[in-house]
Amino acid sequence: MQFFDLSRQFKLSDILSPTKTLNELGQQEWFLAKVRVEHDCLSDSEQLEGQVVLQSNENIQLELEWLIQDTGFELQVLFKGVETAAEQETLVMVKGAQLVDDVQQPLSAQALSLWIDGTLLPMLPQIRKEIKARLNLWDYVEYGA
């Protein structure tokens, strides 16, 4: 039998999705679940963009926007809003949990970006190679003869 504190007002979303702190996320195991590419073959844009879904062993998903820049000698993967300047938009989507800070207040996008950059990406040292490995980059790169 489940009991609810009737002095608190509940939202259905609070019951269906658990609240997690960044510390709790850091204790989970993460892996690359999906890579998507957005590329217009007719455009002359040098940049390749897309999304990546990182999933934890507790089925929490973080969707990040990424772009690939050609530095002339290597293709560099950057996460938008984490490793690039964010432009008044949310570039990280969280599914499967509501993220809160230590005092149970909703987590800011800036705090999540800092955690991704400082904690999550170091936990996945091969993430950039995995993203590039899932793409057929020969379709997007031209080398001079």
Side-chain angles (χ1 to χ4, degrees):
M1 195 179 219
Q2 251 183 336
F3 294 97
F4 294 102
D5 181 357
L6 297 178
S7 65
R8 275 186 61 202
Q9 184 176 4
F10 286 93
K11 295 181 197 163
L12 187 58
S13 60
D14 291 345
I15 297 168
L16 297 178
S17 5
T19 57
K20 296 283 182 185
T21 63
L22 293 178
N23 191 32
E24 291 170 323
L25 289 187
Q27 295 171 4
Q28 298 176 25
E29 294 178 33
W30 292 87
F31 60 92
L32 179 60
K34 191 183 298 180
V35 175
R36 287 194 296 273
V37 180
E38 292 176 7
H39 185 68
D40 181 1
C41 297
L42 300 176
S43 83
D44 292 334
S45 174
E46 296 282 324
Q47 288 190 340
L48 182 63
E49 299 185 17
Q51 298 83 34
V52 63
V53 176
L54 303 177
Q55 187 169 329
S56 78
N57 59 330
E58 293 186 18
N59 210 28
I60 295 172
Q61 293 183 348
L62 295 177
E63 183 173 303
L64 304 171
E65 301 273 329
W66 56 262
L67 62 89
I68 290 182
Q69 291 181 332
D70 189 349
T71 63
F73 60 93
E74 73 166 348
L75 295 173
Q76 185 177 28
V77 176
L78 296 175
F79 294 101
K80 293 165 86 177
V82 175
E83 297 170 318
T84 65
E87 299 283 334
Q88 302 285 328
E89 56 186 292
T90 304
L91 298 170
V92 180
M93 187 180 299
V94 182
K95 295 179 182 173
Q98 295 180 20
L99 301 186
V100 295
D101 60 19
D102 293 334
V103 291
Q104 300 299 306
Q105 295 297 312
L107 195 68
S108 71
Q110 183 180 15
L112 179 58
S113 292
L114 288 171
W115 179 81
I116 289 170
D117 192 32
T119 303
L120 183 60
L121 293 179
M123 289 169 57
L124 300 166
Q126 301 297 318
I127 188 70
R128 296 167 211 282
K129 287 182 182 175
E130 287 184 58
I131 290 171
K132 290 193 276 188
R134 293 198 188 188
L135 304 174
N136 185 358
L137 293 177
W138 293 108
D139 293 341
Y140 308 106
V141 181
E142 292 182 21
Y143 292 99

